[in-house]
Amino acid sequence: MKRALTILCVLTASLSVISALCDASACALGILQDDEVALTREESTTAVRPSLASERGETRASDSKAPDVLLSPSVDAQPMTDERMNQERPRHDNATEMTLTRLIPTKKLHNVRVLRAMTRVPRENFLSKKHASLASLDEEIPLEDGRVLPSPFMTAFTAEALDPQPTDRVLIISDQSGYLGAIWSCLTSQVFEVDSNKTSARKKLGVWQKLKFDNICLCVSQDATAWRDWAPFDKILVASAQEEDPEELFELLSPDGALLCAVGHGHSQRLQRYTLVDGQRTVQTLASVDFPPETLQKNRKRSERNTNEPLLSNGDFETLDEQLVPLIETEPSEAATPLGWRELRNAVAVKTTDAYQGARLCRCDNVTVYAQHQQKDRNQERIDKATLPENRRVLTSSQEATKKAQRACELTCSITQSFAISSSAIKKATISGAFRVQTLVELNDNANVTIAKILFFDQTRKKIGEETILATAQASDTDWTEFSVDASVPPKAAYAVLTLGVLDGVGIVDFDAIQVKNKYEKK
């Protein structure tokens, strides 16, 4: 009996010790959940970076909406050196051809490392088989659910603007397709992404895993600061349009870091680069852009803001974008970028005494480029510098074809502006203004040269209509000609893009006093 009582006492004491240990473990677990990133997937690493709040001596209550981590960070991420890029990121022929023929000829991209990264990511992998043939185009491509695959040029331009370094840790917000994350994974040690949609997140995750891009971290959250426990970040890229500066993200930026974001309302934003200098925030405007909103719902709100009269802004080209970082080598007083207009290729606002109205006009001129093509190959040095030996070997049999495609891209001569237009409110839009042809050469056996067109898009940014507004025959030194053309607005149209220039030929054409109005506007 005594022996039984002794055993019972020992068991009771053991249970008390076990209970105390469980309580201590639960307490420790609660501390960990408060102060460290919760890694909820099989890929979770064994070590976790201390939280930003802990480093600052702050306390933060447990987040009931903690991010759903699909790809977990690594504390020992290695720099993405050129040697590592060559070993782990093989070049893809389609991406190389697109880079050579679409990006290098723009003359606005100069970072060789970024251009090399563009050759390592096959863009068709982010498209369905039905749309894979569009991958080589330098165009934004709409995906399902209002998501967008950004154009190669804008992808490279935004990367170059942030000057990626091999050791950088980068935060990307609203990479709707995963293409941006893939490019940045070829340039930096570690990429952190926040996606608000679990479906799109899983799709991009599948592509990254197929490509074996293993330095990207991904979480699903409505909170853009979901990776705050891994801050600070060297670079932050916000890939969707914002109406105001993303104040909550500046706290995640390293003291010498840079943040890029498109800020503005509707379809006209300014691509802003923010940096910290001696603790003070500085901002530079890089370009006028039309970034997609974060969600389709926000895109619908853009259309709801539309009035009965979709006015084109700065159609007389009098107002210059004074804050814009110069992209052309001319004096601002003589030629500059007009405010509100974007994608200027061989087109500028020119100060002159013979404008149709006011003191400025828009001049679209690819004659100079065409003349230079007749004298020498302007791209050979850039090919040698940007493609590197492994790419040039591929080009030996088709280099002339590549150069021909590059020259055609160099001749692109246009200026565009986007504006909201609702098909439920407007059945026909009237585009009017004045143009003057100084010289014009038709190409490809065309009887006329197109100098203006309008494209219509639905809420998902899918093109649903296109109309040629102006096409003119060969002419030289003509006087100003007024025009007024009606364009039918297709059903489901949410916005339009007006394009002016020498669109399928060579020439010099001036434009002025451009307006877009509702044909049936009530007076």
Side-chain angles (χ1 to χ4, degrees), residues 49 127 169 271 344 405 446 496:
R49 177 185 173 91
L127 296 169
R169 299 167 66 254
L271 187 61
L344 279 71
N446 294 328

Side-chain angles (χ1 to χ4, degrees), residues 502-515:
V502 186
L503 306 184
D504 50 17
V506 175
I508 302 175
V509 181
D510 297 334
F511 296 91
D512 205 353
I514 307 299
Q515 294 185 354

Side-chain angles (χ1 to χ4, degrees), residues 409-459:
C409 184
E410 271 200 312
L411 286 175
T412 302
C413 183
S414 63
I415 181 173
T416 67
Q417 186 175 147
S418 303
F419 54 91
I421 185 167
S422 172
S423 57
S424 61
I426 301 172
K427 305 305 178 186
K428 281 192 176 183
T430 299
I431 302 96
S432 62
F435 70 94
R436 177 176 62 187
V437 179
Q438 294 193 34
T439 184
L440 208 58
V441 178
E442 55 87 18
L443 295 179
N444 304 321
D445 298 323
N446 294 328
N448 296 309
V449 174
T450 303
I451 61 173
K453 65 181 180 181
I454 188 169
L455 289 75
F456 296 95
F457 299 82
D458 65 9
Q459 290 178 338

Side-chain angles (χ1 to χ4, degrees), residues 215-431:
N215 60 338
I216 309 177
C217 316
L218 175 64
C219 73
V220 179
S221 176
Q222 300 294 327
D223 181 8
T225 67
W227 287 117
R228 56 185 171 270
D229 292 320
W230 287 75
F233 298 100
D234 302 294
K235 308 290 166 59
I236 299 178
L237 171 61
V238 182
S240 60
Q242 306 293 309
E243 294 188 354
E244 299 177 349
D245 292 350
E247 295 293 339
E248 72 279 7
L249 294 178
F250 290 112
E251 294 185 1
L252 309 186
L253 194 61
S254 66
D256 57 349
L259 182 150
L260 198 69
C261 182
V263 181
H265 297 273
H267 290 274
S268 179
Q269 305 116 33
R270 297 161 72 84
L271 187 61
Q272 309 275 45
R273 178 175 57 201
Y274 303 86
T275 55
L276 298 177
V277 179
D278 297 329
Q280 299 297 316
R281 188 189 307 173
T282 64
V283 59
Q284 286 181 308
T285 300
L286 303 183
S288 295
V289 294
D290 180 14
F291 273 28
E294 183 178 1
T295 64
L296 183 60
Q297 287 72 21
K298 289 186 178 181
N299 205 20
R300 291 195 179 102
K301 290 182 179 179
R302 284 185 176 186
S303 298
E304 291 170 1
R305 291 195 189 99
N306 178 44
T307 64
N308 195 42
E309 185 181 11
L311 292 176
L312 202 72
S313 66
N314 196 26
D316 56 7
F317 308 101
E318 295 296 317
T319 306
L320 301 182
D321 200 337
E322 300 288 357
Q323 298 181 15
L324 190 67
V325 176
L327 299 178
I328 54 176
E329 297 178 358
T330 54
E331 291 297 327
S333 60
E334 300 300 326
T337 301
L339 184 67
W341 293 85
R342 60 188 178 86
E343 296 183 6
L344 279 71
R345 299 287 298 277
N346 295 313
V348 290
V350 179
K351 187 176 182 180
T352 180
T353 58
D354 60 347
Y356 178 75
Q357 69 177 31
R360 291 187 181 270
L361 54 83
C362 175
R363 176 157 296 161
C364 300
D365 174 10
N366 58 1
V367 170
T368 302
V369 173
Y370 184 72
Q372 291 175 336
H373 284 172
Q374 309 310 305
Q375 298 172 5
K376 62 179 181 178
D377 177 11
R378 302 176 67 211
N379 286 320
Q380 187 61 53
E381 182 179 351
R382 289 172 65 82
I383 289 178
D384 292 342
K385 184 177 180 181
T387 60
L388 302 177
E390 71 270 19
N391 295 334
R392 289 202 293 275
R393 285 195 294 270
V394 177
L395 295 173
T396 53
S397 61
S398 59
Q399 197 169 49
E400 288 306 316
T402 300
K403 291 179 182 178
K404 182 178 179 180
Q406 287 182 321
R407 287 191 289 268
C409 184
E410 271 200 312
L411 286 175
T412 302
C413 183
S414 63
I415 181 173
T416 67
Q417 186 175 147
S418 303
F419 54 91
I421 185 167
S422 172
S423 57
S424 61
I426 301 172
K427 305 305 178 186
K428 281 192 176 183
T430 299
I431 302 96

Side-chain angles (χ1 to χ4, degrees), residues 160-174:
E160 183 168 310
L162 285 174
D163 190 24
Q165 300 299 314
T167 57
D168 280 348
R169 299 167 66 254
V170 181
L171 175 64
I172 301 180
I173 310 297
S174 301

